[in-house]
Amino acid sequence: MSQQQFKAGEARGHSAAKTEEWIESAKDTANQAADKTTDAAQSAKESTQQGAESTEGFFQQTGEQMMQMAQGAVDSVKSTLGVGESQSKK
């Protein structure tokens, strides 16, 4: 084996080792990115669920308040017109 062949083989060995290091580094980076993406998706899902629950409670409360206001308006109109419970008792 000549000196040039030996150096070429040695260079190929170093290249193969470097390539393997880069491949492993790229795999690690891809796995870390996938983990972060999964974490972000889970966090977004939880935030959405919490938002939906608080929105549901808000609409429930608002609906009840609107019903109470409407009932108050009906009672006020009945009272103004003299219609209602006090009239039916007579």
Side-chain angles (χ1 to χ4, degrees):
M1 180 182 266
S2 74
Q3 184 71 12
Q4 281 183 323
Q5 288 175 329
F6 178 76
K7 285 186 178 181
E10 190 175 37
R12 266 189 237 144
H14 286 302
S15 294
K18 278 291 185 192
T19 301
E20 187 63 32
E21 286 178 30
W22 289 344
I23 290 171
E24 287 302 314
S25 177
K27 285 180 182 178
D28 289 344
T29 301
N31 286 335
Q32 289 173 359
D35 290 345
K36 287 181 180 180
T37 301
T38 300
D39 291 345
Q42 182 64 31
S43 177
K45 179 181 174 184
E46 290 170 1
S47 293
T48 301
Q49 287 174 341
Q50 289 173 350
E53 290 169 2
S54 66
T55 300
E56 183 179 299
F58 170 76
F59 282 127
Q60 175 71 29
Q61 199 172 30
T62 302
E64 289 173 359
Q65 288 173 347
M66 289 179 66
M67 287 173 44
Q68 290 171 356
M69 288 172 51
Q71 186 60 49
V74 168
D75 291 343
S76 181
V77 169
K78 283 182 178 180
S79 175
T80 301
L81 295 176
V83 181
E85 291 181 23
S86 62
Q87 285 286 355
S88 61
K89 289 182 181 178
K90 289 183 178 180

